[in-house]
Amino acid sequence: MKNYNRLMFQLLAIVGILLVGCALGKKETKAPKDTPPNIIYVLADDLGYGDIGAYNPEGKIKTPNIDKMAEEGIRFTDAHTSSSVCTPTRYGIMTGRYNWRSELKQGVLTGRSPGLIPSSRTTVASLLKKQGYYTAFIGKWHLGWDWAEKVKKDTIVEIGWDTRSFDNVDFSKPIKNSPNDLGFDYAYGHCGSLDMAPYVYVENGKVTAQPTTITENKRKYTKWRKGPTAPDFEHEQVTPNFFKRGMKYIKQQAQNDKPFFLYLPLPSPHTPILPLEEWQGKSGLNPYGDFMMMIDHYMGALIQTIKDAGIEENTLIVFTSDNGCSPAADINEMIEKGHYPNSIFRGHKADIFEGGHRVPFIVKWPARIKAGAVSDEIISLNDLMGTVAAITGYQLKDNEGEDSYNILPVLTGETLEAPLREATVHHSIKGSFAIRKGNWKLSMCAGSGGWSYPNKKEILDTLPKMQLYNLKADPQEASNLVAEHLDKVEELKGLLTKYIREGRSTPGIPQQNDGDESWEQLWWMN
């Protein structure tokens, strides 16, 4: 009898331990190697290469959570956006195609712009949906969508950044050419940047609340343009809102057997720079530094959510930025205090110089990526499509991901016999081109191609029309070698011309670019 009671007590103890384990959370289980991972892509806005501690140990902004992500995954030192501004980079991420192949040859869209990506084009979301994923977009879109019109017009006329652009918008009707039409099962966010009207959330094609006021803020750091604003849209709460909704989505999807894709493009630390009160003054730099620390905090919460959901092992999470740090962050003020937001690189957001498009790129995937890895491989944010296609076993067609390479071999630590990319093309806000092959970079403009010096015509007219740099010897692009290496200039110019004319930079059947076959920034081809 005593033995029986002892046995029952032991069984009850075991059951109790199991029940407590269940109550504490879902137990992590290792997924088979061929099980498709959950994919989370976090895109910061205007975050510089030197704003993350893992990339800039001497930097003044503390980013312990993102640094830890780098320690637990792989950090790329030579990752690039396809453009040095918002809209074109997002186009490349979603389509795996260089932005200048679209109708948009320079600049960015506004909150009033029609959709840039036609529903007929394959996106990362539509590809993954076809491969059995549940897909979601939560955040800043900035690729345009078609607002309903009160009075039907043949064309949509934008009045610059003027609030009158929205006089004919019917916010009570669904939008068209939305993220839902491009492969996302769920979509929640706003149309442009956080300083671009209209200030309304759109969920699955419908505005969550009608705009009732016109708001404007002209203060330094926190300014946004005048425009219609909904009562549920608080500028200070937009970044926290997106993170919280992203975490809620992760918790929900973790309960399903179906893999999921979450595209989480942040509106921060782009202007308006709005750290919550608890973060104000924390960095000791300025509001931008405080905002960065707030983003790092929420990244830590996002990663912890993945762990608590029991899906960390087979979840691939990317953290990167859409271009370099913007002068709106008051770069000079931070430099005076010892923080270099674009690290050692010349230029900043909008430029063809490295500071415009070289960005942090960190990937964590415990099931396949060795912790603490660092790669000097040259990659592009366009490479997301080629990589997820390889991960899920999808064969890209000739008219899909024309400029997207599969970086999975680098992620998993394979030894490469040659660089993944033959060459990489860069683009500035003014539509200026550059091409990078190995250590060599040829820029097809006289100056920055953007906002930094030199950018005035009277100075540019005195400079060589092209710039050639050896980035290994001269990462700060200080010595133009165009006159000394004419053979390298011709080689790179020829390769860039080939990429443009053939409508692709990956192997395959030539494709057609959208819009005009030539434009002013292709002066060397005309």
Side-chain angles (χ1 to χ4, degrees):
M1 191 62 160
K2 289 182 180 179
N3 290 338
Y4 173 82
N5 290 337
R6 187 182 297 113
L7 180 60
M8 288 302 295
F9 178 83
Q10 290 172 342
L11 287 172
L12 288 170
I14 292 170
V15 171
I17 291 170
L18 291 174
L19 288 173
V20 169
C22 291
L24 289 174
K26 190 176 178 181
K27 186 180 179 182
E28 177 86 33
T29 55
K30 289 202 171 187
K33 191 175 181 180
D34 58 351
T35 300
N38 304 306
I39 300 170
I40 301 172
Y41 198 95
V42 183
L43 181 70
D45 195 354
D46 289 7
L47 181 154
Y49 187 94
D51 285 328
I52 304 300
Y55 285 85
N56 183 13
E58 303 301 319
K60 303 300 181 182
I61 300 175
K62 295 179 176 62
T63 55
N65 295 299
I66 300 172
D67 296 347
K68 186 176 181 183
M69 181 181 167
E71 292 172 2
E72 295 175 344
I74 184 171
R75 173 173 63 88
F76 286 81
T77 65
D78 216 339
H80 298 263
T81 59
S82 64
S83 169
S84 54
V85 282
C86 301
T87 297
T89 288
R90 284 163 168 72
Y91 179 89
I93 291 169
M94 282 290 99
T95 66
R97 186 180 190 232
Y98 282 127
N99 52 277
W100 40 267
R101 300 197 193 281
S102 74
E103 297 279 353
L104 188 69
K105 306 303 183 185
Q106 63 180 12
V108 300
L109 300 184
T110 72
R112 185 67 174 92
S113 303
L116 182 61
I117 304 175
S119 58
S120 58
R121 176 158 288 280
T122 299
T123 66
V124 170
S126 63
L127 184 160
L128 287 172
K129 186 174 181 178
K130 189 181 295 184
Q131 294 299 89
Y133 277 68
Y134 191 85
T135 58
F137 148 73
I138 299 173
K140 167 186 169 177
W141 185 238
H142 211 179
L143 286 165
W145 55 47
D146 300 344
W147 296 101
E149 303 289 317
K150 294 176 183 176
V151 179
K152 184 64 177 176
K153 296 182 178 181
D154 292 334
T155 58
I156 296 174
V157 179
E158 292 187 59
I159 312 172
W161 305 98
D162 197 309
T163 188
R164 288 175 294 164
S165 299
F166 303 98
D167 288 347
N168 196 43
V169 172
D170 188 343
F171 289 103
S172 68
K173 294 181 180 178
I175 63 169
K176 294 182 180 179
N177 205 1
S178 74
N180 298 100
D181 300 313
L182 297 170
F184 287 102
D185 294 302
Y186 177 77
Y188 175 94
H190 58 88
C191 192
S193 292
L194 194 52
D195 58 3
M196 293 178 183
Y199 305 118
V200 297
Y201 291 120
V202 173
E203 184 172 30
N204 292 332
K206 296 180 180 179
V207 170
T208 59
Q210 299 293 306
T212 55
T213 59
I214 301 293
T215 65
E216 183 178 21
N217 193 334
K218 294 184 177 180
R219 292 175 296 164
K220 184 181 180 181
Y221 295 121
T222 65
K223 61 184 177 182
W224 62 78
R225 298 174 179 89
K226 187 176 181 179
T229 306
D232 66 344
F233 196 99
E234 298 178 58
H235 280 75
E236 290 83 357
Q237 292 295 333
V238 172
T239 292
N241 181 28
F242 288 152
F243 267 114
K244 290 172 184 177
R245 285 176 177 270
M247 289 184 273
K248 180 180 178 182
Y249 172 79
I250 290 168
K251 291 176 184 177
Q252 291 172 339
Q253 296 306 312
Q255 305 303 315
N256 301 327
D257 293 330
K258 193 174 181 179
F260 68 86
F261 170 56
L262 171 60
Y263 174 49
L264 185 60
L266 308 177
S268 48
H270 188 290
T271 53
I273 298 170
L274 297 167
L276 296 176
E277 186 176 357
E278 63 188 287
W279 297 102
Q280 293 171 14
K282 291 288 186 181
S283 69
L285 285 175
N286 64 7
Y288 176 83
D290 303 339
F291 212 18
M292 278 297 311
M293 290 182 67
M294 189 184 94
I295 292 168
D296 179 76
H297 165 77
Y298 277 105
M299 275 302 299
L302 186 81
I303 293 169
Q304 188 61 49
T305 299
I306 295 168
K307 292 180 179 180
D308 292 344
I311 57 172
E312 180 185 19
E313 178 71 14
N314 202 34
T315 293
L316 186 161
I317 179 169
V318 176
F319 180 84
T320 186
S321 176
D322 66 347
N323 47 248
C325 183
S326 168
D330 208 334
I331 292 174
N332 290 335
E333 179 186 34
M334 288 190 283
I335 289 175
E336 288 174 2
K337 295 180 179 180
H339 180 76
Y340 293 78
N342 292 310
S343 188
I344 65 170
F345 301 110
R346 183 179 181 181
H348 48 59
K349 174 183 178 176
D351 295 346
I352 204 66
F353 295 132
E354 291 292 289
H357 50 80
R358 189 183 291 227
V359 293
F361 193 91
I362 300 169
V363 189
K364 178 182 172 182
W365 183 12
R368 301 289 303 276
I369 295 175
K370 183 180 178 181
V374 178
S375 175
D376 298 327
E377 189 77 21
I378 302 168
I379 65 168
S380 167
L381 268 61
N382 285 10
D383 295 335
L384 178 63
M385 178 172 280
T387 305
V388 300
I391 288 172
T392 62
Y394 181 86
Q395 183 65 45
L396 289 173
K397 299 181 178 64
D398 282 305
N399 64 347
E400 297 174 334
E402 293 94 327
D403 303 296
S404 187
Y405 283 76
N406 168 27
I407 69 168
L408 183 59
V410 183
L411 296 178
T412 56
E414 293 183 30
T415 301
L416 304 179
E417 296 181 0
L420 283 179
R421 293 182 139 267
E422 178 184 36
T424 304
V425 179
H426 311 307
H427 208 231
S428 78
I429 190 171
K430 294 181 180 178
S432 297
F433 284 84
I435 184 168
R436 166 84 179 279
K437 183 179 181 183
N439 295 326
W440 293 97
K441 176 183 176 183
L442 178 68
S443 297
M444 310 305 292
C445 61
S448 70
W451 296 338
S452 75
Y453 179 90
N455 61 351
K456 302 297 183 184
K457 186 177 187 304
E458 58 270 23
I459 297 174
L460 297 178
D461 287 345
T462 68
L463 300 173
K465 287 189 175 182
M466 295 179 286
Q467 303 170 75
L468 180 71
Y469 300 104
N470 184 319
L471 293 180
K472 184 176 182 179
D474 181 22
Q476 295 174 317
E477 298 172 276
S479 300
N480 186 358
L481 303 176
V482 71
E484 289 90 334
H485 295 277
L486 295 178
D487 55 339
K488 184 59 68 174
V489 170
E490 290 304 310
E491 175 196 344
L492 294 177
K493 186 169 66 171
L495 187 56
L496 177 58
T497 300
K498 174 177 178 286
Y499 284 174
I500 293 170
R501 286 180 173 162
E502 293 188 355
R504 70 179 318 116
S505 58
T506 56
I509 297 173
Q511 298 296 307
Q512 188 71 37
N513 296 319
D514 302 335
D516 296 334
E517 292 187 5
S518 64
W519 54 99
E520 62 176 320
Q521 291 86 354
L522 302 183
W523 57 269
W524 77 93
M525 289 175 54
N526 298 333

